[in-house]
Amino acid sequence: MYIWEPHQPRGRRSVAEAGCCEAFLLCFEGAEFYVLRYTEAGKAEETARGTYDHVYWGAWLDLTRQHEREKHRVAS
């Protein structure tokens, strides 16, 4: 379970990776990484802000794998 908060830019955002369907974006601002998503209303939300290792090996892989499983389950 992740806590999603409104995205609060703290600098210039760059995208390191985009997940399937671009449901999630692995972003960074300077040396700080986070996972970004957009709601159906178009609002940006973020979770798991921190170091690359913390975000990538924790939230990023978990969220993108979960999304892939759900996508394939719906398609079946």
Side-chain angles (χ1 to χ4, degrees):
M1 180 68 126
Y2 296 93
I3 298 171
W4 292 94
E5 300 175 343
H7 175 56
Q8 299 293 327
R10 299 177 189 164
R12 183 177 175 175
R13 176 178 66 213
S14 297
V15 176
E17 288 190 46
C20 167
C21 313
E22 294 189 0
F24 301 107
L25 301 171
L26 176 61
C27 298
F28 62 96
E29 296 169 359
E32 195 170 41
F33 287 77
Y34 56 93
V35 178
L36 186 75
R37 72 176 181 186
Y38 288 92
T39 67
E40 289 182 14
K43 302 282 185 185
E45 296 179 325
E46 67 177 64
T47 194
R49 197 175 267 268
T51 64
Y52 175 83
D53 284 344
H54 168 77
V55 177
Y56 183 85
W57 295 110
W60 176 252
L61 288 179
D62 185 41
L63 288 166
T64 55
R65 287 176 179 164
Q66 179 181 338
H67 178 75
E68 277 290 319
R69 285 191 303 270
E70 290 173 4
K71 180 182 173 190
H72 289 299
R73 185 170 8 124
V74 171
S76 300

